[in-house]
Structures are given as C-alpha cells and as structure tokens.
Amino acid sequence: MWAGGRAGGGGFKMALCGRVRSRCPGPVLLLLLALVALPAAGGPPFPPAGPVGGGGPAAAGPAAGPGAAGPRGPRGGSSGGGWKLSEEAVCREDVVRLCSKHSWANNLAVLECLQDVRESDNEISSDCNHLLWNYKLNLTTDPKFESVAREVCKSTIAEIKECADEPVGKGFLVSCLVDHRGNITEYQCHQYITKMTAIIFSDYRLICGFMDDCKADINLLKCGSIRPGEKDAHSQGEVVACLEKGLVKEAEETDPRIQVSDQCKKAILRVAELSSDDFHLDRHLYFACRDDRERFCENTQAGEGRVYKCLFNHKFEESMSEKCRDALTTRQKLIAQDYKVSYSLAKSCKSDLKKYRCNVENLPRSREARLSYLLMCLESAVHRGRQVSSECQGEMLDYRRMLMEDFSLSPEIILSCRGEIEHHCSGLHRKGRTLHCLMKVVRGEKGNVGLSCQQALQTLIQETDPGADYRIDRALNEACESVIQTACKHIRSGDPMILSCLMEHLYTEKMVEDCEHRLLELQYFISRDWKLDTVLYRKCQGDASRLCHTHGWNETSELIPPGAVFSCLYRHAYRTEEQGRRLSRECRAEVQRILHQRAMDVKLDPALQDKCMIDLGKWCSEKTETGQELECLQDHLDDLVSDCRDIVGNLTELESEDIQIEALLMRACEPIIQTFCHEVADNQIDSGDLMECLIQNKHQKEMNEKCAIGVTHFQLVQMKDFRFSYKFKMACKEDVLKLCPNIKKKVDVVICLSTTVRNDTLQDAKEHRVSLKCRKQLRVEELEMTEDIRLEPELYEACKSDIKNYCQNVPYGNAQIIECLKEIKKQLSTRCHQKVFKLQETEMMDPELDYTLMRVCKQMIKRFCPEADSKNMLQCLKQNKNSEVMDPKCKQMITKRQITQNTDYRLNPVLRKACKADIPKFCQNILNRAKDDTELEGQVISCLKLKYADQRLSQDCEDQIQVIIQESALDYRLDPQLQMHCSDEISSLCAEEAAAQEQTGQVEECLKVNLLKIKTEMCKKEVLNMLKESKADIFVDPVLHTACALDIKHHCAAIPPGRGRQMSCLMEALEDKRVRLQPECKKRLNDRIEMWSYAAKVAPAEGFSDLAMQVMTSPSKNYILSVITVGICVLFLIGLMCGRITKRVTRELKDR
C-alpha cells in the first residue's frame, strides 16, 4: 500500500469505489445503513452542503437554502420517516422519471439509480446533480459512517492493524477498509464497504487524497474543471480517464511534452487498481461500455474483474463500439504498467509472486509492478520446472495473449517502431496483425527496420512467450487452425510441440499460405533466443549451464547472448566421444530438431542471416524459392566474405555428418530412404551413412527428381572442401594433415591421396603412407566422383563450352555427359580433349572408376568376374565378351572400351606393361613425334603389329599384340588406323558388311577381296598390312580360320599355333596331292596366295631384313630357299672359274 499527503502531516489511505450492483445487504447492515441514511423522525438528515472549495471534500456545512447552488434545504421529516432524496424538489422529477417507485424510500437506491444515468435523453438536472454530489460528500465525511464501520467491521478492524491505528473522526477508517477489502472475510463488513465504495468513487473529487495529488495535473492536461457545478458531476469519471490517457501517452513518447507527476501517477494507478474487481467502479469505462456489456457479457456476473475480462476478449469484435474499445485499451495499458490494475491476475498470482520473489521490496516499483516483469518472472519459474498454480498460469496466458493481440499495449513497440508502423503496417492493429506485419518487415520481406524496433519486438516475444503455447499468438492461431486440425490433431491443444509440428509440415500440401507466413514470422524471433523454444530450454537448460555458462531464463549476459547459446549447444552436439563433453541424448535430439527446422529458411538461422546479408543480396537475390538461398550461398562459397563463408562452411560441415538436418531434402527423399536406406536412417547417430546410401542409390528407378537434384547438389558442395564429406574427413583427417597439408578442396585432396596410394603400390612399398581406413574411404569418394562430370571441377571447367556445343541436351547424372564427350573426342577443344584423355587413361588403369562400364555391366561382373581385382575388371570382361550369356548392352560397352584402348597404347595398361621394352625399341620414331595428352591414333599398336608379323617381338608383347590382332580382325572398329584411312572405302565397297549387327571380320574380308579396287594408298597399305599379319598366324584371319578349322584339326593338330606354323602346315597340305582339304578351306587358301602375291608386288620389301622376313613367312618358303640356294651355288662356281682365269693372266703379265 502507498500513502499520499494528508493534512496535519499524517498519512491517508486512498479509497476507491466498490461494486454498484452488489448482493442484498444483510438485515443488520440494512438496519445500520438505515440509521445513517434515514435518521429517526425529527432528527436532522444529511442535507446537501454548500459548494465545496477547490481544496477537496469538506465537512458538511449548514443546509443550503433554495438559492444556494440550486437545491433547497431538506424537508422536515414526518412521523416514521426522515429526509428523502426522492422528495427533494430539484430531484423529484428525475426520480419519478428514471427510478422505480419501490426505491424512492431508500436514499442509497435513489442515489445509485441517478448516478448510473448516462444517456443524453435522460440527463438529470444540474441542480439535482449538485444536490447528489453534496449528499455523497456528507456521507463520506460524516462520523456516523465511521461509527457504523467500526460496529459492522469490528473483528476485521482488529485483524487489520493498519486500519485499527487510523484516527477517529477523520473518515480514514473507511478508506483503509476499502483498500483492504480483498482481505475482508466478514460478510456484513464486506457488504458495507462495497456499498460505501460505490458511493465514494462515483466522483474523483470524493476520493481521499486524489484531489490533492492530481489537482495540478488536471489543470496541466486540461482534463476538466474541478469545481462542482461547472461541469456535470457525472462527467467527473472523464477526468480520471483523461488523466489515465495522459499517463499512457507519456509512456509512449520518447520526449513527452507534458509529464504527469509521480504522485498523481501513483494515485491514478491506485484508482485503477481498486476499481479492478468491478467494471462499474471505472465510471468512464462503465458508461462507454454499458451497451457492449449487454451485447457481449450479459450473463457475466459482476465482480472479481470478470466483466473486464469478458470485454477484453471481445475487444476486436466488429460490433464492439470504438468508444468502448478505446476505454478497454486504456485500461489494458494501465495493466501493462501495473499488474495490480487487473484484479484477477493480482489475486490468482499473489502467492506465486511472493513465493518466487517477483515483487521483492528492493526493486523499484515501476519495474516490479510492470506486467512484463511479472510475466517474465513467473515464466522463468515455469521454465525452470517450478510449480505455479494453474489459476495463475491461466491468467498469465490471457495477458500474454492480450499483449500479442494489441501492439499498442507495449509502450516500447510504439516508441521504437512508430516509423515502421506508419510506413508498412498502418491500419492493421487488430488481432495481432500489426505485430506480425512488423515481424515480416524485420524478416526483410517488406523493407528495413531499425535495430531498436527489432529489439523491442524480441523483448515482447520473450514477455509473451508464444513458443510455450501457440494460442497466445492469435494471428498464428487463426491462420493455422485448419493445419493444426489436420496435421497436428494428435498433439494436445496448447502443447509447445504444436509449433514443431507446424514446422515439420512447412512447405507440404497440408500447409496453407497464411499459416506459413505467420509461422515463419514468429519462428524468426524464437530462433534468435534459444529460451523461447520451450521444449529446447526444458531439455537443454542443464547442458547449457554446464557447457555454455548460461544464466536464468529471464536473465541475459553480454558474454553469452541468447543467440550464441544455441551455437554452443550444436557445437557440442556433434562432438565425438574422444573430444568429450557431449550433450545429453534428450538435448541432442532437440538440437537436431531445431537444426532441421532452421534448414527450411536461412532467416531462421540468426548467425547466417547476420553475417551473410550482403552476400545474399549480391549472389542470391533471385533465389526466392524454398531452400534456394542456402544452396545459393553454398554454390558461391568461394565468393563469400570471410565471416559468411565460415558460417556457411560450418553449417555444411554439420549437414555432412547429419544430412537429416536438411529437412526439405529428407522430405523429397523419403521414398528412397524407406526403400533402400531405412536401416541407416533409423540410426540415432548418422555420421554420413545416410547421404552415402542416397548417393549409391541415386539412379534407382524409385528415385524422384527432387531427391536426385538435392543429393547431387550436396555432392557438388562437398567438392569445395574435404571437411564437407564427414566420413572422408573422419577417415583421412590425419593423412591429409601429414601428406596433403594446405590443400582444402576435396578434389585436390582426393588426387593428392590417390597419387600417394598409386605411387606406393607401383613401388611395392612395404608400408603404405595412407592409412587403411583412409584408403577404403578414398575409394568410395573416387567412385562417387565418376558419376557426374561436375564432381570433377577441372574436367568440367575445361569442357564447359564443349558440353554446351555438343552435349547440351544430355543429362549430367549417370556419367552421361562424360560418355558424350568420349564419343565426340575428336571434335573437342584441345584443353578438353587432353582432360578427357587423362580421364580415360585413369579409367583404363582402374576400370572400377569407369562409372558407365560398371553400371552397364554390373550383372555381368557378378556373373563372370565376382572375384576379379578391380584393376583387371575390363580384362575379365573382354575375355568373356563372346560368351552366349553375355548381356548385349554390356558387350557393346566392352567393345567401346576396346576401341578406346586401341587408339593409344597408353590406354591399355596390360599392353603397355608387356611391351615396355619393345615400344621404344621398334617404335621410337612415333614416340618422338607424339605430344603428351594426345592420342597416337593406334600408330604404336600398328607398329607393333608389323613387328609381330616379322616375329621380332618379345614373348609377352607378342601375346598381347596377338590378342589385339585377333580382336581387330573380327571388328574393323578396333583398328583405328584402318578405320581412319579406309573410311571412304568401307562406306563405298563394304557398306553392307559394316552395317551388320555382329562384326565377325566381314569388313576386313571385303577390303581384302576388293584390294585391287582400293585407290587410296594409305588404305591399301593398311589392307596389305592385314594380309601380312595373317601370314604370321591363322588366328588373325577369322574367315580363313573358320573355313579351315576342320582341316587344322585333322592335319595340323600337333603343330602349335603362332609364328606362321599352322599356316605353313595348311600350305603344305594344299600342295600335297595326297591331302584332301575342305573345298571352302582350299578356296580361301588359294585366294590368300593370290592376295599375298599381289601384296608382294605392290609392297616390295623396305630392306634386307624385311625381305628376309617375307621369305621366312612365305608359304613357299622351301621353294624360294631352294631357288636362292641353287643361285648362290651357281654364282660360287662362276666365281671360282673366273678367279682362275684372272689369276693366270696376272702371272703372265708379271713374267714379262
């Protein structure tokens, strides 16, 4: 309780008006009231006094005559009755017109009837007004009333020491009892004080001390005359209302022009406080809302603030009068300044406030009494798990909702956001729309907002705490009602998990647009203070205190601002056990939930939005779709400013460990997860397994486009930093630091580690420098990178223009772009060509990195090569290529790879190794002309083929060349030199054979048959080389070999193949008249002899060694050697003979 000034240096208590419509007083009270209001016959009544001076209520003077202030003196009482208001001439007409007849005999009933008249049509006369005011003044100051109070409230006065100590005869006792009427339990006393309250405070001038405290402010604010008679006494309620408006206006101005004195402020708030239980006691509001009360709250019983609450709940109804709405708003603003102005709140929370020291004496009253302080203090107790009564929590809920509904109840909002409201949100004040409009502005969707306004909004959200109960936010509640009914009906109404449920259904079919906007606007502020998420705070407050050194719910710290706490929590959430100090399981689950929600919108991540505001505007202004802003920042990671790059990098690193944070991606990938990855998805700790599973199943038929795009994007982001691949980072962190320091990009790290592994393998190092676990994960990364050319940035950059020119309509996935570039390799730009060649060289050395081959031949590998080493996979497939059960698509892919290998010996690791010594020995001139990273177009292999025909290769090299010759003899496409030089001839002479689905050597046979028709020298030379090669081994001539297969079996079975031995056997059999060959074999052999003869004519030996080799490989070798031998013998004999003749001649000459 507080005191105002009192005459004589003492203190006085301020009393306010009580209920007008009270319950019927008991018989004892009626008797006592009758003693006061209706004295015995002949006794002096309480006649109206003369005008009272401006100093406040005075003692009743002598009865006024008819000419004084209007009313005449009282009439003498008749037997059995005293002075009656209804019999006074100045009021008789008004009483008859306005009051029921049965009340005429009771002065208090008449007084109540007349002072409740407000309608202009029923105005009572000025003289009657003055008579009534003087009558009330006399009542409140007469000692008889005090003596009645002492009689009726004897036991109550004894209990209330403060009232027992009041001096007698000053009228202070009644004021004191009015102050303490909430503590009065004695029925008769309570009834008496209630009735007296109604009489006293129907006019502010009758309130003890109010006049003294507020006289100067009334004049300063021009709130009306304080002299009775100059203004209708019934309008004196307007004076209090005017003062109240002045008080709330002052709070809403930065530099108020007129300030209400502190004494008057206290008086106004005390008046409002003591009128809080019955709306009749707030005269201005009573008259402003009488019709609205009948309309909205007809069945609401007066008392205990029930009518106020009912009217508050209907404040924004369309049919609510503006006059009443304004009066209600003023009263709500007073409640915001002093919670005791709300009777129900003060009563319900009294014990809780005391229990949790929310109204301790050492705090300034202005802070202690503010509604926001009360709410914050009690909310803190609730959030700490303390017990707050359900009645108090219900009241808190009502007033938190009230603050969210009407921004004007928060002076800080008006002070700080006035400009923003005028520019962006004018005319939207009802039902919380202005607050949500301001939230929208703060989110950056409608313009800029000042920092002070943003802070004021953040403070209001903390005070109202809508995160604890979505119903507090009326705008959100109304917008999301349908969504809650369908998507969240399994959650109890008012449960804080409703907001989480709504967030989980964000951007789904069940979400409606209005709800989406309201939800994101609120979440923007909740995300900036971890305490505003009730469930998070409840589950993590222990961890936050232990690890992040946080304070209480309603306390702040400059060292640990609210936004930094969540960052601290999620850093600890993803620590390994070795790093120590991890979060509890419950808290970790909540941190993950919040991260999932924040991934929906960059604006829900305070640090990200704060540090990346410039970059978002610079790079991502057009990326407005869901989730696009973060993807855009990740795409431009290298271009971001340092702080933003760090934030985005940390978030991406976090996603790599737990991709489920990416809620939108998880939603898109749900079908594929359920089908292929449900086991890893169910793991409490992800550790990158789920993303790895999604990547491996990216091209399953169940995969939808959204999921595939999301997974690919994450793969592309991972290439920017090896830390973004969680499993790779954890497996190879130490190896990277040791072997590849200062390398950041994942692709460079992979190349660095792969090179180290390859070198160690080639050098047969005893111990690999790269650890086993890193080598295993490195393999996974290498295989994943082959699926999309964009995952190999250098190749992609080199070939960007070529992709645009030649592969524009080819999808990126499934290595289709890479395959497209391989097929048009000759048309590519030099740089791209070189990169593609390098890629092919790597793939041929390690076929498992050939994504297309492994995909197309997946089943055939399982059938034919289940145990084959990855390095020998293609070799294994080639060996089984002509199997009857070989899949045609796989066979076609193997052929493609064989064609590629035959373009350059470097693309055939097996050949390269086997012919390591032969190539520089026989083909050095070709190597000298060659350039790095460009194909030799089969020149080295052609060179080796010729040496094979000459039988000059080493055994290992000969075996490999033999295989190549055999394969290319069946399919002309495997001979790049032949295909390059004979393309026109094949088109003109052998088109039908070239078009055959299965190549079995028909094109080569066609070219041999048409050798005489070939005009191009280079093509003719290639065909002649083929003929030359066929002499070396019948296996390289598939047509001849097929025709003579039975004859070889019958006549040459004992002769080993190779070096022309079986061919010689067949030629000898052809010349032997006793041997009968198969007709087709005989025909083919004769054809070959003719071809070889022609070849010998048109392609003479290039040197002695070539001539000797031709003789040795000729089918007529014996005949030729016999002729040569005879010729040599003849020459020898001739030489002997000639030598003797010349010798004799020489001797004769000497003798001379």
Side-chain angles (χ1 to χ4, degrees):
M1 305 301 293
W2 54 270
R6 177 175 19 171
F12 70 85
K13 299 294 180 183
M14 178 175 290
L16 292 177
C17 32
R19 257 177 272 157
V20 173
R21 298 178 184 176
S22 60
R23 292 174 289 181
C24 295
V28 178
L29 180 59
L30 284 173
L31 177 61
L32 291 167
L33 288 173
L35 289 173
V36 176
L38 301 171
F46 293 114
V52 178
R72 57 185 176 81
R75 199 178 290 171
S78 57
S79 61
W83 177 83
K84 294 184 177 62
L85 273 174
S86 58
E87 295 176 358
E88 287 296 321
V90 292
C91 290
R92 186 183 299 119
E93 183 184 342
D94 294 312
V95 171
V96 171
R97 180 165 52 89
L98 299 171
C99 304
S100 58
K101 191 171 183 180
H102 71 269
S103 66
W104 293 356
N106 189 325
N107 285 346
L108 294 179
V110 172
L111 175 64
E112 182 177 0
C113 167
L114 293 177
Q115 73 179 7
D116 281 357
V117 174
R118 187 65 176 174
E119 291 81 358
S120 56
D121 296 339
N122 295 326
E123 284 288 342
I124 61 175
S125 67
S126 177
D127 288 344
C128 184
N129 265 331
H130 190 51
L131 176 68
L132 292 175
W133 186 80
N134 280 292
Y135 174 62
K136 289 185 289 185
L137 179 62
N138 289 336
L139 284 176
T140 58
T141 57
D142 194 277
K144 288 186 179 181
F145 270 90
E146 186 173 309
S147 63
V148 171
R150 290 189 179 278
E151 183 65 30
V152 174
C153 300
K154 188 183 296 182
S155 60
T156 300
I157 294 169
E159 291 173 4
I160 304 174
K161 186 176 183 299
E162 195 174 346
C163 297
D165 295 339
E166 291 290 357
V168 180
K170 300 289 186 180
F172 297 149
L173 176 64
V174 176
S175 292
C176 179
L177 290 171
V178 168
D179 275 351
H180 289 85
R181 73 184 189 279
N183 298 324
I184 297 175
T185 56
E186 194 178 352
Y187 179 72
Q188 297 289 349
C189 181
H190 191 276
Q191 290 294 310
Y192 176 72
I193 293 302
T194 299
K195 182 63 69 175
M196 284 305 300
T197 306
I199 294 169
I200 293 171
F201 296 108
S202 61
D203 192 322
Y204 80 97
R205 293 168 300 173
L206 301 177
I207 302 169
C208 279
F210 188 85
M211 190 69 181
D212 295 334
D213 291 335
C214 292
K215 179 180 178 182
D217 298 280
I218 292 169
N219 291 326
L220 186 64
L221 292 167
K222 299 180 181 177
C223 288
S225 171
I226 60 170
R227 292 183 180 175
E230 290 186 10
K231 196 169 185 180
D232 177 8
H234 283 69
S235 72
Q236 296 307 316
E238 304 292 340
V239 175
V240 178
C242 174
L243 289 169
E244 290 173 346
K245 287 179 181 176
L247 178 61
V248 297
K249 187 177 180 183
E250 179 189 330
E252 294 168 359
E253 292 181 354
T254 309
D255 188 17
R257 187 170 50 85
I258 299 174
Q259 292 184 324
V260 180
S261 66
D262 288 341
Q263 271 193 322
C264 188
K265 279 181 187 177
K266 293 176 182 177
I268 293 167
L269 289 172
R270 187 63 179 147
V271 166
E273 178 186 334
L274 292 174
S275 63
S276 62
D277 67 332
D278 195 327
F279 94 114
H280 292 85
L281 308 183
D282 185 332
R283 303 304 290 169
H284 171 70
L285 188 143
Y286 168 69
F287 287 118
C289 296
R290 259 200 313 197
D291 293 339
D292 298 282
R293 187 266 166 94
E294 296 302 320
R295 188 179 301 115
F296 298 112
C297 309
E298 183 180 2
N299 299 321
T300 303
Q301 187 179 357
E304 297 187 355
R306 286 186 288 267
V307 176
Y308 284 127
K309 288 189 72 173
C310 174
L311 290 171
F312 289 160
N313 290 336
H314 292 87
K315 176 179 164 183
F316 290 116
E317 297 287 346
E318 293 295 331
S319 53
M320 173 69 74
S321 66
E322 284 298 327
K323 199 171 184 181
C324 180
R325 186 179 289 121
D326 290 343
L328 289 170
T329 299
T330 300
R331 185 153 193 98
Q332 287 176 321
K333 289 179 179 179
L334 292 174
I335 293 173
Q337 292 200 29
D338 188 344
Y339 74 91
K340 291 180 181 178
V341 176
S342 169
Y343 177 87
S344 56
L345 180 63
K347 181 182 177 183
S348 299
C349 296
K350 184 176 180 180
S351 60
D352 295 295
L353 290 169
K354 186 176 181 181
K355 182 177 180 181
Y356 299 114
R357 297 176 60 81
C358 296
N359 52 359
V360 291
E361 298 299 328
N362 61 350
L363 288 173
R365 176 172 177 77
S366 59
R367 178 187 172 193
E368 168 196 333
R370 284 184 66 84
L371 177 63
S372 59
Y373 178 79
L374 172 141
L375 292 175
M376 295 273 280
C377 181
L378 291 177
E379 284 166 17
S380 175
V382 172
H383 285 296
R384 294 198 311 270
R386 305 291 190 271
Q387 191 67 38
V388 174
S389 67
S390 57
E391 294 84 0
C392 181
Q393 288 200 49
E395 289 295 322
M396 288 167 61
L397 184 67
D398 289 340
Y399 283 97
R400 283 151 63 191
R401 186 186 293 122
M402 180 186 82
L403 291 174
M404 280 294 288
E405 274 188 352
D406 192 345
F407 76 94
S408 66
L409 305 184
S410 303
E412 296 82 5
I413 299 292
I414 296 175
L415 279 171
S416 306
C417 302
R418 183 175 279 115
E420 287 82 357
I421 293 170
E422 289 176 0
H423 283 98
H424 304 292
C425 308
S426 57
L428 297 171
H429 67 281
R430 298 183 178 185
K431 301 181 181 179
R433 291 173 191 156
T434 302
L435 280 177
H436 271 276
C437 173
L438 288 171
M439 292 178 190
K440 193 172 185 178
V441 176
V442 171
R443 270 174 56 83
E445 295 179 25
K446 290 183 68 175
N448 296 321
V449 67
L451 181 61
S452 59
C453 179
Q454 185 169 341
Q455 290 172 341
L457 284 168
Q458 188 72 46
T459 302
L460 178 62
I461 298 298
Q462 186 176 2
E463 291 168 2
T464 55
D465 196 16
D469 190 335
Y470 72 96
R471 296 171 298 180
I472 291 167
D473 189 341
R474 182 170 177 176
L476 175 71
N477 190 12
E478 291 182 357
C480 298
E481 188 175 3
S482 62
V483 184
I484 293 168
Q485 292 299 323
T486 54
C488 310
K489 59 185 178 183
H490 60 288
I491 304 175
R492 177 178 56 83
S493 180
D495 193 290
M497 288 307 292
I498 290 280
L499 280 181
S500 272
C501 174
L502 290 173
M503 287 298 294
E504 287 169 11
H505 288 87
L506 200 62
Y507 308 124
T508 64
E509 294 178 356
K510 292 183 179 180
M511 180 57 65
V512 296
E513 188 177 1
D514 276 353
C515 178
E516 179 184 306
H517 292 318
R518 302 297 86 76
L519 181 62
L520 287 174
E521 287 155 10
L522 178 61
Q523 283 289 349
Y524 178 89
F525 288 90
I526 291 177
S527 67
R528 275 149 181 78
D529 189 344
W530 76 290
K531 296 175 294 189
L532 299 183
D533 190 300
T534 305
V535 182
L536 175 69
Y537 183 81
R538 187 167 65 239
K539 298 290 179 66
C540 292
Q541 57 180 316
D543 294 279
S545 177
R546 175 170 55 90
L547 302 172
C548 309
H549 312 291
T550 56
H551 298 272
W553 188 85
N554 58 339
E555 297 176 17
T556 56
S557 166
E558 293 182 2
L559 296 175
I560 304 288
V565 176
F566 185 75
S567 299
C568 168
L569 288 173
Y570 88 64
R571 281 198 303 274
H572 285 89
Y574 290 91
R575 287 194 170 192
T576 61
E577 291 182 6
E578 292 80 14
Q579 291 171 315
R581 301 217 297 173
R582 291 186 59 146
L583 297 184
S584 63
R585 180 175 295 184
E586 283 186 340
C587 181
R588 190 176 193 275
E590 287 307 308
V591 170
Q592 286 176 320
R593 174 179 66 84
I594 299 300
L595 288 171
H596 295 176
Q597 293 176 5
R598 289 189 175 187
M600 302 276 194
D601 191 326
V602 293
K603 295 185 180 73
L604 297 182
D605 191 322
L608 183 67
Q609 192 191 24
D610 180 44
K611 302 293 185 185
C612 297
M613 186 66 73
I614 296 172
D615 289 300
L616 281 167
K618 185 176 181 180
W619 305 107
C620 311
S621 56
E622 296 179 1
K623 303 290 184 180
T624 56
E625 294 296 319
T626 306
Q628 282 188 343
E629 288 176 314
L630 179 57
E631 288 183 2
C632 171
L633 290 173
Q634 289 173 331
D635 290 340
H636 290 88
L637 186 66
D638 296 332
D639 304 318
L640 305 180
V641 297
S642 177
D643 288 346
C644 179
R645 185 165 60 246
D646 291 342
I647 291 286
V648 175
N650 290 337
L651 182 59
T652 309
E653 189 174 354
L654 199 62
E655 287 178 350
S656 72
E657 179 177 355
D658 184 7
I659 193 60
Q660 294 186 58
I661 290 172
E662 274 282 6
L664 295 174
L665 177 61
M666 290 300 96
R667 197 177 290 163
C669 296
E670 188 174 354
I672 203 83
I673 291 172
Q674 292 300 322
T675 308
F676 298 101
C677 308
H678 62 277
E679 290 183 2
V680 291
D682 293 339
N683 291 343
Q684 181 129 19
I685 300 173
D686 183 354
S687 301
D689 293 324
L690 183 54
M691 177 51 74
E692 191 172 281
C693 176
L694 288 172
I695 291 170
Q696 290 169 357
N697 293 281
K698 192 165 74 167
H699 297 290
Q700 297 287 352
K701 60 183 180 181
E702 292 86 354
M703 176 65 74
N704 60 68
E705 185 181 6
K706 279 187 178 179
C707 180
I709 291 172
V711 172
T712 300
H713 175 265
F714 196 78
Q715 286 181 279
L716 295 174
V717 172
Q718 285 183 326
M719 303 313 297
K720 296 178 183 293
D721 194 320
F722 84 97
R723 296 178 302 127
F724 298 164
S725 300
Y726 179 75
K727 297 192 80 171
F728 184 45
K729 176 185 72 175
M730 297 308 293
C732 297
K733 187 161 52 177
E734 294 175 0
D735 300 273
V736 172
L737 290 173
K738 182 173 66 175
L739 301 169
C740 313
N742 305 320
I743 298 180
K744 183 179 177 184
K745 289 190 175 181
K746 179 181 172 181
V747 64
D748 295 333
V749 171
V750 170
I751 292 171
C752 170
L753 293 175
S754 299
T755 305
T756 306
V757 171
R758 186 183 66 187
N759 292 341
D760 288 348
T761 304
L762 293 175
Q763 294 167 11
D764 295 323
K766 291 182 179 180
E767 189 175 336
H768 276 276
R769 286 174 287 172
V770 179
S771 64
L772 178 61
K773 66 176 182 179
C774 180
R775 292 203 302 271
K776 287 181 178 178
Q777 191 59 37
L778 179 63
R779 190 65 180 167
V780 173
E781 302 300 329
E782 287 176 328
L783 295 176
E784 287 178 1
M785 286 168 60
T786 62
E787 182 268 332
D788 193 319
I789 191 172
R790 293 171 296 180
L791 300 179
E792 301 194 47
E794 287 190 11
L795 175 63
Y796 181 55
E797 286 299 319
C799 296
K800 247 182 181 178
S801 59
D802 298 279
I803 293 170
K804 187 176 181 181
N805 293 332
Y806 305 114
C807 309
Q808 192 170 5
N809 299 320
V810 180
Y812 279 99
N814 265 336
Q816 293 176 84
I817 291 284
I818 293 174
E819 202 61 28
C820 170
L821 294 174
K822 288 176 182 177
E823 290 176 1
I824 54 160
K825 193 163 55 172
K826 292 181 180 178
Q827 303 172 47
L828 300 178
S829 62
T830 305
R831 186 162 168 246
C832 179
H833 190 286
Q834 290 172 348
K835 292 291 182 183
V836 171
F837 177 76
K838 276 292 182 189
L839 174 67
Q840 289 180 315
E841 190 175 359
T842 304
E843 289 177 347
M844 292 304 176
M845 289 178 66
D846 190 351
E848 197 175 18
L849 298 178
D850 187 339
Y851 184 88
T852 308
L853 175 71
M854 301 308 290
R855 178 177 62 84
V856 173
C857 296
K858 186 176 181 180
Q859 296 304 321
M860 295 300 101
I861 290 170
K862 287 181 179 179
R863 178 186 287 270
F864 295 112
C865 315
E867 297 179 359
D869 183 74
S870 62
K871 304 283 192 296
N872 300 322
M873 201 69 74
L874 181 57
Q875 197 68 18
C876 173
L877 289 170
K878 282 158 63 175
Q879 290 168 1
N880 294 278
K881 173 183 168 183
N882 295 315
S883 170
E884 292 180 0
V885 293
M886 175 58 74
D887 176 57
K889 288 183 179 178
C890 179
K891 185 175 182 178
Q892 186 179 2
M893 185 54 61
I894 296 168
T895 302
K896 278 187 177 182
R897 295 302 179 257
Q898 286 179 296
I899 293 171
T900 301
Q901 281 191 326
N902 290 351
T903 59
D904 197 303
Y905 78 97
R906 290 169 292 183
L907 300 180
N908 190 333
V910 179
L911 175 69
R912 188 175 185 178
K913 184 177 179 181
C915 301
K916 189 176 181 181
D918 300 86
I919 292 172
K921 181 178 178 182
F922 300 114
C923 312
Q924 187 61 49
N925 59 328
I926 298 173
L927 297 179
N928 292 338
R929 297 196 304 270
K931 295 180 182 178
D932 289 339
D933 304 328
T934 55
E935 286 97 328
L936 298 172
E937 299 296 344
Q939 294 178 62
V940 171
I941 294 176
S942 292
C943 166
L944 293 173
K945 283 180 181 178
L946 291 173
K947 302 308 172 188
Y948 170 79
D950 295 342
Q951 300 179 3
R952 297 170 64 186
L953 299 177
S954 63
Q955 187 60 51
D956 288 343
C957 187
E958 185 177 298
D959 291 342
Q960 290 303 315
I961 289 296
Q962 181 180 332
V963 171
I964 291 173
I965 293 173
Q966 288 174 1
E967 290 170 346
S968 57
L970 288 168
D971 190 340
Y972 74 98
R973 295 170 300 175
L974 299 183
D975 189 337
Q977 288 288 305
L978 178 69
Q979 192 174 12
M980 182 171 64
H981 296 307
C982 297
S983 56
D984 293 338
E985 284 76 4
I986 291 172
S987 300
S988 59
L989 300 174
C990 310
E992 188 177 342
E993 289 83 355
Q997 194 168 8
E998 188 78 18
Q999 289 294 322
T1000 55
Q1002 307 99 310
V1003 173
E1004 289 86 343
E1005 189 66 19
C1006 170
L1007 289 171
K1008 291 173 185 175
V1009 170
N1010 292 285
L1011 181 59
L1012 296 175
K1013 297 179 181 179
I1014 296 173
K1015 305 299 182 185
T1016 311
E1017 287 300 321
M1018 292 304 293
C1019 180
K1020 188 180 288 186
K1021 183 179 179 182
E1022 288 301 320
V1023 177
L1024 291 172
N1025 286 340
M1026 278 198 300
L1027 289 170
K1028 184 177 180 182
E1029 291 159 11
S1030 65
K1031 288 182 183 181
D1033 199 327
I1034 195 170
F1035 283 99
V1036 302
D1037 192 336
V1039 175
L1040 180 62
H1041 183 261
T1042 303
C1044 298
L1046 285 173
D1047 295 296
I1048 292 171
K1049 188 176 182 181
H1050 291 151
H1051 307 296
C1052 308
I1055 299 173
R1059 298 190 178 271
R1061 287 186 287 264
Q1062 289 187 340
M1063 182 67 78
S1064 298
C1065 173
L1066 285 174
M1067 296 305 293
E1068 289 173 1
L1070 179 64
E1071 293 173 3
D1072 192 341
K1073 303 296 183 183
R1074 295 170 299 172
V1075 178
R1076 189 171 180 181
L1077 298 175
Q1078 295 290 324
E1080 182 65 19
C1081 179
K1082 192 173 183 178
K1083 178 179 179 298
R1084 293 291 179 185
L1085 282 172
N1086 287 323
D1087 290 342
R1088 292 297 181 269
I1089 292 170
E1090 289 181 17
M1091 291 177 188
W1092 292 330
S1093 300
Y1094 177 75
K1097 292 177 185 176
V1098 298
E1102 295 178 0
F1104 180 77
S1105 60
D1106 193 23
L1107 178 63
M1109 189 55 63
Q1110 285 188 13
V1111 171
M1112 294 304 295
T1113 56
S1114 171
S1116 305
K1117 178 177 69 174
N1118 295 337
Y1119 172 76
I1120 295 170
L1121 289 173
S1122 300
V1123 171
I1124 292 172
T1125 304
V1126 171
I1128 291 171
C1129 291
V1130 170
L1131 287 172
F1132 181 71
L1133 291 172
I1134 293 171
L1136 286 174
M1137 290 172 65
C1138 291
R1140 286 180 178 275
I1141 294 168
T1142 55
K1143 188 176 180 182
R1144 190 177 294 131
V1145 171
T1146 305
R1147 186 174 295 167
E1148 288 176 353
L1149 289 172
K1150 282 180 179 180
D1151 290 341
R1152 287 180 185 178

